[in-house]
């Protein structure tokens, strides 16, 4: 099973209020070089958005974020999610994500959480909220005692700070929203989204 961490160095974290925006938004991100798209389950439109992207944008690898329950896991997978991301984890949620058969990233923000996941054989994790939880300094410190853990930091990361995260050996990718400014999405300015996505994709080198 391919790790979510290996899909792309930058994963857009998308909040969709209108499912009609899902396909043009996804096409803009893919055209800009960001094929892995995390649609957060924070809005009533999220599952319909995932369905639409899965059906109409085959070049995209669409996943579900803010997965916080076994029901959420089941609904996301049924909608066509090809990966799952949670802000944190419990044994019950972890079991559901494991049983789903799709790649997943459980969220962590403490050393103890990382160790508990390593005990379960899980090495790929979301570090959230990245900036508030200690940022690059914290992740660099974790790399010494826990080098086998690999992270996708998300939360407060910008185009300016992303390279510092991606330079760390235990960071495989970052999640962010900077390529989806609220005014551009509200105006359905997909050309601008594509340009910003291209700038994020350029960080992959």
């Amino acid at each position: 099973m391919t790790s979510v961490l290996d899909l792309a160095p930058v994963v857009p974290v998308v909040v969709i209020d209108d499912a009609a925006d899902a396909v043009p938004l996804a096409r803009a991100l893919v055209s800009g070089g960001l094929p892995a798209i995390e649609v957060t389950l924070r809005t009533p439109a999220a599952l319909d958005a995932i369905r639409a992207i899965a059906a109409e944008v085959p070049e995209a690898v669409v996943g579900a974020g803010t997965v916080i329950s076994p029901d959420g896991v089941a609904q996301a997978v049924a909608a066509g999610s090809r990966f799952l991301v949670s802000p944190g984890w419990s044994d019950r949620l972890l079991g559901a994500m494991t049983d789903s058969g799709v790649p997943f990233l459980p969220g962590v923000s403490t050393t103890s959480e990382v160790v508990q996941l390593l005990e379960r054989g899980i090495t790929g994790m979301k570090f959230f909220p990245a900036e508030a939880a200690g940022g690059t300094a914290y992740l660099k410190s974790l790399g010494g005692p826990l080098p086998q853990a690999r992270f996708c930091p998300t939360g407060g990361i910008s185009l300016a700070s992303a390279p510092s995260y991606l330079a760390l050996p235990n960071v495989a990718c970052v999640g962010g929203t900077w390529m989806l400014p609220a005014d551009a999405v509200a105006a359905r300015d997909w050309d601008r989204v594509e340009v910003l996505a291209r700038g994020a994709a350029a960080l992959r080198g």
Side-chain angles (χ1 to χ4, degrees):
M1 185 168 66
T2 302
S3 170
V4 181
L5 297 173
D6 298 320
L7 294 176
V10 178
V11 179
V13 179
V14 182
V15 179
I16 295 181
D17 292 307
D18 185 345
D21 292 338
V23 168
L25 185 154
R27 285 177 176 154
L29 292 172
V30 170
S31 295
L34 300 180
I37 301 170
E38 176 189 333
V39 177
T40 66
L41 301 184
R42 300 181 194 174
T43 68
L47 291 172
D48 285 338
I50 291 170
R51 287 188 194 95
I53 296 170
E56 299 183 46
V57 193
E59 322 90 275
V61 181
V62 63
T66 320
V67 179
I68 58 173
S69 70
D71 283 346
V73 170
Q75 292 170 354
V77 172
S81 295
R82 293 169 61 183
F83 64 90
L84 305 168
V85 183
S86 68
W89 64 273
S90 66
D91 286 333
R92 188 163 169 258
L93 177 59
L94 198 65
M97 290 194 293
T98 302
D99 292 343
S100 73
V102 302
F104 62 91
L105 287 179
V108 298
S109 61
T110 69
T111 306
S112 294
E113 291 170 319
V114 175
V115 170
Q116 289 179 71
L117 288 177
L118 291 175
E119 285 181 345
R120 291 162 170 79
I122 297 168
T123 58
M125 310 169 197
K126 171 178 177 171
F127 178 59
F128 176 83
E131 287 288 279
T136 55
Y138 191 92
L139 286 171
K140 185 175 181 179
S141 296
L142 287 180
L146 303 170
Q148 64 272 54
R150 300 172 69 218
F151 300 97
C152 175
T154 303
I157 296 175
S158 66
L159 177 62
S161 63
S164 297
Y165 282 94
L166 291 169
L168 296 174
N170 58 350
V171 171
C173 61
V174 299
T177 61
W178 73 84
M179 71 295 296
L180 296 160
D183 58 340
V185 174
R188 295 179 169 82
D189 187 350
W190 308 128
D191 289 340
R192 183 180 171 201
V193 169
E194 181 178 340
V195 169
L196 293 171
R198 193 170 293 115
L203 299 174
R204 72 179 63 238

